[in-house]
Amino acid sequence: MSELRFTEDHEWLRAEADGSVTVGITAFAQNALGDVVFVQLPELQSYDKGAEASTVESVKAASGVYMPLDGEVLEVNGQLDGNPELVNEDPMGEGWFFRFKPADADAVAKLLDQDAYDRLIKANAEA
């Protein structure tokens, strides 16, 4: 699966060839936050779905980045330590937060696809 999946908390997920999953925040979330000034990356450990794995701070607010599925964080994007503005510059690419190994590999495909995520954003904008 090379297509992106999304959560209702505005994280994107991309399945990698090695079975890991890369996670970041969507452009929508980045735009809502504004200029990112700090990112607290997760520890390399297991997290339950919905647990706050990371924190992103902007000039406007601080927001949690939640574990989208049960799994173990394998790698973090160390570039964000000294360069948090990567989240603003490329939230869907170089501004990724972490990679994890999901406890249930099939669960990724059950998350929102691009069309469902677009509908979520539209519904939120209309609310």
Side-chain angles (χ1 to χ4, degrees), residues 9 11 23 39-56 63-69 71-73 75-76 97-100:
D9 293 317
E11 290 108 10
V23 177
V39 175
Q40 178 184 358
L41 295 166
E43 298 293 322
L44 300 181
Q45 65 184 34
S46 293
Y47 290 87
D48 293 332
K49 177 182 178 180
E52 187 172 310
S54 186
T55 304
V56 59
S63 182
V65 176
Y66 302 99
M67 193 68 171
L69 301 166
E72 180 181 356
V73 174
E75 179 183 2
V76 298
F97 283 64
F98 60 91
R99 289 195 174 103
F100 78 102

Side-chain angles (χ1 to χ4, degrees), residues 5 52 86 107 117:
R5 293 293 176 167
E52 187 172 310
L86 275 176
Y117 183 69

